[in-house]
Amino acid sequence: MLTEIIIIGNELISGRTRDLNGWYASGCLLSCGLEVSGITTVGDNYDTLSSVLGAAVKRSHFIIVTGGLGPTEDDLTTKIVSRVLDRPLFLDQAVLDHLKDKTKEIDMRWSPSLENLAWLPRGAKILDPKGEMCGFSLSEGDSLLYFLPGVPEQMREMMNRFVIPDILRRYTPATVPRHRILKVYGLSESYIADVFKGLSAELAGVMFGFYPAFPENHITITVRGKKDEETERELDRTEERVRGLLGPYVFASDEKTMEAVVGDLLKERKMTISLAESCTGGLIGHRLTSIPGSSLYFERGIIVYSNKSKIEMLGVKKQTIDTYGSVSDQAVREMAEGIKEIAKTDMGLAVTGIAGPSGGTEEKPVGTVFIGLSVDGKILSGKYCFSGQRDKVKLTTSEMALDWVRRYLDGHPFIPGI
Amino acid sequence: MLTEIIIIGNELISGRTRDLNGWYASGCLLSCGLEVSGITTVGDNYDTLSSVLGAAVKRSHFIIVTGGLGPTEDDLTTKIVSRVLDRPLFLDQAVLDHLKDKTKEIDMRWSPSLENLAWLPRGAKILDPKGEMCGFSLSEGDSLLYFLPGVPEQMREMMNRFVIPDILRRYTPATVPRHRILKVYGLSESYIADVFKGLSAELAGVMFGFYPAFPENHITITVRGKKDEETERELDRTEERVRGLLGPYVFASDEKTMEAVVGDLLKERKMTISLAESCTGGLIGHRLTSIPGSSLYFERGIIVYSNKSKIEMLGVKKQTIDTYGSVSDQAVREMAEGIKEIAKTDMGLAVTGIAGPSGGTEEKPVGTVFIGLSVDGKILSGKYCFSGQRDKVKLTTSEMALDWVRRYLDGHPFIPGI
């Protein structure tokens, strides 16, 4: 079963935007047992797109096309399909009525260019007739084509809700590959590679992939098998081996994020947390509150960006700041203690540091960060020197701070600071 | 001059890794005036790669190929080039000697598979004879092919040091395309499409692109011209036209973000700001502090996630919350006023809302958000009902709140709430 993907968008062949759709669609298709033979990325160009589409229909059974479906004039996909496959466009009245209802429903003004979305090539089947997203399928000879929006979130939803189920109705794979992702924080990629050297040879039927996902490293385990349960057991066994080798550096599997793991642990232990953020500027709070139901354990946070606010809001002593500076072990300990007392939570987590690009000194260069955790009547603190630019320092700091909470609650030792 | 890119790697067509090379190479080529017609991504597969390479040589002048150049047996590029272009492989003794010297120099054991790197198709020219990276060029008829490593850092270095200079020696672009991005917030894609209908026809030499970048919409303007200054002037004129049509909905151009625009305005006006965030959980603070130097205007923020914290930290009246709820116009006004008073800043910005998935009611469904701004002795407030899931509600709320500050400081009317 030849399967290919066509990605449309000028922004993707001019260095402006990195494609997400080819990557995502190929992973989805593989999970149905369909290996993608190629991904072709082209601009919103009549001739190129015509020739690419024409060639694809001649050779492939399943063809996923993304992009060029919107209401604007650079959206050419439907017109080109009409020409290449010789299918005149027709106005689908049901789609048009539905669009008009939808815009009314969300209080949006009807705009004439929205009508473009209701013109479809003959034989096209709207994928989500009750939805708000455009996208249709079309069969041509031996080929089945799926046309999806280019906006990644929409494309993914269409892929998962309509395309994959539709493909699985038509095609039963002999073996199915199953994946698991193990997420690692605190170990370098080359360290992980060394650990895996022996393991890859030993577990012949298992494929490993290693992907840096700053500041984390993700390991994928892939197993092919006839039955789901069988491959699932093999995955479980392999995961256990990997966890045995990497210990508590593995913090989650699959879609789970660090903030979700921390949230689960807090809920499990019935504990609450409050934050005192300086250099992260609210990022830790943002991450914690990205988890639905986080109000159960997250009480409040204070972004103490100025020294004055550290003193006024958290009771950090002016003398501490004058003597040691606001980026210091002494300050972060007072911050952690202060926020815990004020918020009356079980844990008080504090970070202070120099995110850069300016503000660094010889003694405290950019990337110098202190983390403090006040819990169970004690205050833990540590110093780090993270590398990278402002956004990376902020992100690593937030990750390390969350990892402190995870490790504390899970009874693992900390990754010591410097 | 037809230009295309071929990307080789199993990991790129199986959802494991997102390609970086096609994106990067297309941007490099465009900066030389070469528009890429397509990027083809294929696995390390003999047949597919042969047919893709064969087709490329027939139609394109410049062809960049990345990946499949390593010493292992799944690296097939050189062998396929040899077959498709009918050029027998030869052992390049100079390359072999150089490789042996290099491995000695870095104390690496010589491995027989490294010899593979010295076998090249007849006519191949090593790009970096003194370096450690493989990669060669080859001319075939009217086509010039560059074969580069798949590791992104190596590929980029080769591209910048060898490929681009080589291309510019052979090709002087008649015209150079220049882009500008205009960022829009508060208008739908279809509304923008309607506005542009006339404009595109009128400005024949200008190309427009429309890209949703939630919660913003980005418009790219592309102009081709002989000289930089000339195209720059054309871009300026076009930008002015677009801004005339879309008004203050255009908030920035090119790389500038909403938070950077807000930061610049605050600096310009020598004003300070403080935040009271509920549903955004720290995201507004995170965005403001992502800008270097934001400590000049951002004083502090409080993430008042619990009702208790709203009362204790901001002086919101318990009665207000009991009567109207914490997600209410009354509450957000007290929050904005409270944070401004406590932080003694020129502006106090507050948000409260229901990010979901739970917590919604008939009267206040998920997505209900109130924004409050206390400034110049008055308090402005508004209600919105944003759609989408938790992350989208948080993101839109942060964007709208920042846009309030921008519009206030720039003297534009607000986007009215509902």
Side-chain angles (χ1 to χ4, degrees):
Chain A
M1 287 299 216
L2 258 177
T3 307
E4 68 182 280
I5 299 170
I6 299 169
I7 307 288
I8 304 168
N10 283 330
E11 74 281 17
L12 305 165
I13 53 162
S14 58
R16 285 209 302 281
T17 307
R18 282 180 62 191
D19 171 56
L20 276 162
N21 290 341
W23 166 74
Y24 187 80
S26 64
C28 282
L29 292 163
L30 194 65
S31 71
C32 306
L34 290 169
E35 272 158 48
V36 169
S37 60
I39 304 171
T40 312
T41 311
V42 292
D44 306 274
N45 177 296
Y46 217 94
D47 295 331
T48 320
L49 189 46
S50 300
S51 93
V52 165
L53 200 61
V57 170
K58 282 201 195 105
R59 69 185 165 217
S60 289
H61 296 93
F62 294 109
I63 303 166
I64 311 285
V65 185
T66 77
L69 282 194
T72 53
E73 57 192 27
D74 60 351
D75 292 309
L76 299 171
T77 305
T78 310
K79 285 178 204 130
I80 291 169
V81 171
S82 161
R83 195 188 68 170
V84 172
L85 305 183
D86 194 18
R87 290 165 183 251
L89 295 176
F90 72 99
L91 180 69
D92 189 321
Q93 191 61 44
V95 173
L96 186 65
D97 292 346
H98 176 69
L99 280 171
K100 287 192 166 163
D101 288 350
K102 273 281 158 192
T103 44
K104 229 178 256 164
E105 211 181 294
I106 58 170
D107 256 340
M108 207 176 96
R109 205 155 47 97
W110 175 257
S111 125
S113 53
L114 284 171
E115 197 186 293
N116 289 340
L117 300 176
W119 284 90
L120 298 174
R122 199 186 58 216
K125 255 182 60 191
I126 282 283
L127 288 168
D128 185 13
K130 304 245 168 273
E132 291 160 49
M133 296 175 290
C134 39
F136 56 88
S137 67
L138 204 60
S139 84
E140 171 79 20
D142 283 342
S143 305
L144 199 60
L145 299 103
Y146 299 91
F147 295 89
L148 306 177
V151 177
E153 297 76 38
Q154 296 182 2
M155 181 269 174
R156 289 181 191 199
E157 201 185 325
M158 298 289 266
M159 198 74 196
N160 292 323
R161 280 179 54 207
F162 304 104
V163 179
I164 296 299
D166 196 58
I167 287 179
L168 287 177
R169 266 195 299 275
R170 296 157 190 270
Y171 165 74
T172 313
T175 61
V176 180
R178 290 184 70 89
H179 308 280
R180 188 160 300 164
I181 302 170
L182 294 183
K183 296 185 174 178
V184 177
Y185 177 62
L187 296 176
S188 72
E189 203 189 352
S190 57
Y191 178 91
I192 296 171
D194 287 345
V195 168
F196 271 77
K197 246 175 207 153
L199 198 65
S200 303
E202 185 190 325
L203 304 173
V206 182
M207 257 182 60
F208 292 104
F210 305 94
Y211 308 103
F214 186 85
E216 303 164 1
N217 277 296
H218 296 178
I219 300 167
T220 61
I221 308 172
T222 307
V223 171
R224 282 196 86 106
K226 287 210 182 89
K227 282 189 192 151
D228 275 5
E229 316 88 71
E230 207 175 272
T231 50
E232 206 58 37
R233 273 198 302 276
E234 178 85 35
L235 279 179
D236 287 343
R237 277 194 299 271
T238 312
E239 173 171 349
E240 211 170 300
R241 282 293 303 276
V242 174
R243 283 184 182 265
L245 287 167
L246 301 181
Y249 290 95
V250 179
F251 67 87
S253 62
D254 292 334
E255 295 308 306
K256 202 127 206 178
T257 59
M258 178 65 90
E259 44 270 36
V261 171
V262 167
D264 282 350
L265 285 167
L266 286 165
K267 261 194 297 191
E268 226 174 275
R269 309 276 191 282
K270 292 194 175 39
M271 288 175 82
T272 54
I273 192 168
S274 54
L275 301 173
E277 300 189 57
S278 184
C279 61
T280 45
L283 176 56
I284 305 177
H286 171 49
R287 289 183 65 175
L288 279 176
T289 60
S290 71
I291 307 301
S294 45
S295 55
L296 273 176
Y297 45 83
F298 177 55
E299 210 277 334
R300 75 185 73 172
I302 308 187
I303 310 168
V304 282
Y305 221 55
S306 65
N307 285 346
K308 198 162 141 272
S309 66
K310 290 183 185 74
I311 296 165
E312 288 177 9
M313 313 276 330
L314 299 174
V316 174
K317 293 190 208 85
K318 187 172 177 301
Q319 204 197 330
T320 304
I321 291 177
D322 289 346
T323 315
Y324 305 103
S326 63
V327 177
S328 65
D329 189 63
Q330 290 81 357
V332 88
R333 294 176 70 89
E334 292 183 22
M335 286 167 65
E337 180 64 6
I339 188 66
K340 181 175 175 294
E341 287 307 305
I342 289 159
K344 295 186 186 63
T345 47
D346 301 308
M347 283 188 156
L349 177 65
V351 297
T352 179
I354 301 156
S358 62
T361 63
E362 188 134 337
E363 194 202 345
K364 292 175 189 170
V366 167
T368 303
V369 167
F370 291 86
I371 297 178
L373 181 64
S374 174
V375 60
D376 292 336
K378 56 184 177 281
I379 305 173
L380 307 161
S381 61
K383 179 186 177 183
Y384 297 89
C385 197
F386 297 127
S387 58
Q389 297 200 305
R390 190 173 180 87
D391 55 341
K392 287 204 168 180
V393 171
K394 285 182 74 178
L395 190 57
T396 321
T397 304
S398 74
E399 183 89 0
M400 183 61 91
L402 291 172
D403 202 37
W404 271 46
V405 178
R406 176 185 75 93
R407 283 174 171 262
Y408 184 85
L409 294 177
D410 236 6
H412 297 302
F414 288 96
I415 304 171
I418 50 173
Chain B
M1 286 298 217
L2 257 176
T3 307
E4 68 181 282
I5 300 170
I6 300 169
I7 307 288
I8 305 168
N10 282 331
E11 74 280 15
L12 304 166
I13 52 162
S14 58
R16 285 210 303 281
T17 306
R18 281 180 64 189
D19 171 54
L20 276 164
N21 290 340
W23 167 74
Y24 187 79
S26 64
C28 283
L29 291 164
L30 194 64
S31 71
C32 304
L34 291 169
E35 270 161 53
V36 169
S37 60
I39 304 171
T40 312
T41 311
V42 292
D44 306 274
N45 177 296
Y46 216 94
D47 295 331
T48 321
L49 190 45
S50 300
S51 92
V52 166
L53 200 61
V57 170
K58 279 197 199 109
R59 69 185 163 216
S60 289
H61 297 93
F62 294 109
I63 303 165
I64 311 285
V65 185
T66 76
L69 281 193
T72 55
E73 57 191 23
D74 61 351
D75 291 308
L76 298 170
T77 305
T78 311
K79 285 178 203 128
I80 291 170
V81 172
S82 161
R83 194 187 68 169
V84 172
L85 305 184
D86 194 18
R87 290 165 182 250
L89 295 176
F90 73 99
L91 181 69
D92 188 320
Q93 193 60 46
V95 175
L96 187 64
D97 292 346
H98 177 69
L99 278 171
K100 287 192 167 166
D101 289 349
K102 273 280 158 193
T103 44
K104 228 178 257 165
E105 214 180 291
I106 59 169
D107 254 341
M108 208 175 94
R109 206 155 46 96
W110 176 257
S111 131
S113 56
L114 284 173
E115 198 184 292
N116 290 340
L117 299 178
W119 285 90
L120 298 173
R122 199 186 58 216
K125 255 182 61 192
I126 282 283
L127 287 169
D128 185 13
K130 304 246 169 273
E132 291 160 49
M133 296 175 291
C134 39
F136 56 88
S137 67
L138 204 60
S139 83
E140 169 80 18
D142 282 342
S143 304
L144 197 60
L145 298 103
Y146 298 91
F147 294 89
L148 305 177
V151 178
E153 295 75 38
Q154 295 182 4
M155 181 269 176
R156 288 182 193 198
E157 200 184 326
M158 298 289 266
M159 197 74 196
N160 292 326
R161 280 179 53 207
F162 303 105
V163 179
I164 295 298
D166 196 56
I167 286 179
L168 286 178
R169 266 195 298 277
R170 294 156 190 272
Y171 166 73
T172 311
T175 60
V176 179
R178 290 185 68 89
H179 306 281
R180 187 159 300 163
I181 303 169
L182 293 183
K183 296 184 172 177
V184 177
Y185 176 63
L187 296 177
S188 71
E189 203 192 352
S190 57
Y191 178 90
I192 296 172
D194 287 345
V195 169
F196 271 76
K197 245 177 205 151
L199 198 65
S200 304
E202 185 191 326
L203 303 173
V206 181
M207 257 182 60
F208 292 104
F210 305 94
Y211 308 104
F214 187 85
E216 302 164 2
N217 277 296
H218 295 180
I219 300 167
T220 62
I221 308 171
T222 306
V223 171
R224 287 195 82 107
K226 286 208 181 92
K227 282 191 192 148
D228 275 6
E229 316 88 71
E230 205 177 275
T231 51
E232 207 59 37
R233 271 198 304 275
E234 178 83 34
L235 279 178
D236 288 343
R237 276 195 299 271
T238 313
E239 174 171 349
E240 211 169 298
R241 280 297 301 276
V242 174
R243 284 185 182 264
L245 287 167
L246 302 180
Y249 290 94
V250 179
F251 67 86
S253 61
D254 291 334
E255 297 308 306
K256 203 126 205 180
T257 58
M258 178 68 87
E259 44 270 36
V261 172
V262 167
D264 283 351
L265 285 168
L266 287 164
K267 261 194 297 192
E268 227 174 274
R269 309 276 192 280
K270 294 196 173 39
M271 287 175 84
T272 54
I273 192 167
S274 54
L275 300 173
E277 299 189 58
S278 184
C279 60
T280 45
L283 176 55
I284 304 176
H286 171 49
R287 290 183 65 175
L288 279 176
T289 61
S290 71
I291 307 301
S294 45
S295 54
L296 274 175
Y297 45 84
F298 177 55
E299 211 276 335
R300 75 185 72 172
I302 308 187
I303 309 166
V304 283
Y305 221 56
S306 65
N307 284 347
K308 199 161 140 272
S309 65
K310 289 182 186 73
I311 296 165
E312 288 178 8
M313 313 275 332
L314 299 174
V316 174
K317 293 191 209 82
K318 187 173 175 302
Q319 205 196 331
T320 303
I321 291 177
D322 289 345
T323 315
Y324 305 103
S326 62
V327 177
S328 64
D329 189 63
Q330 290 80 357
V332 89
R333 294 176 71 89
E334 292 184 22
M335 286 167 66
E337 179 64 6
I339 188 65
K340 180 174 175 294
E341 288 306 307
I342 289 159
K344 296 185 186 62
T345 47
D346 301 308
M347 282 188 157
L349 177 66
V351 298
T352 180
I354 300 156
S358 62
T361 63
E362 187 131 340
E363 193 202 347
K364 292 175 188 170
V366 168
T368 303
V369 168
F370 291 86
I371 297 180
L373 181 65
S374 172
V375 61
D376 292 335
K378 56 184 176 283
I379 305 173
L380 307 161
S381 60
K383 179 185 177 185
Y384 297 89
C385 197
F386 297 128
S387 58
Q389 296 200 308
R390 189 173 181 85
D391 54 340
K392 287 205 169 179
V393 171
K394 286 181 73 178
L395 191 57
T396 321
T397 304
S398 74
E399 184 89 359
M400 183 61 91
L402 290 172
D403 202 37
W404 271 46
V405 177
R406 176 185 77 92
R407 283 175 171 260
Y408 184 84
L409 293 177
D410 237 5
H412 296 304
F414 289 97
I415 303 171
I418 50 173

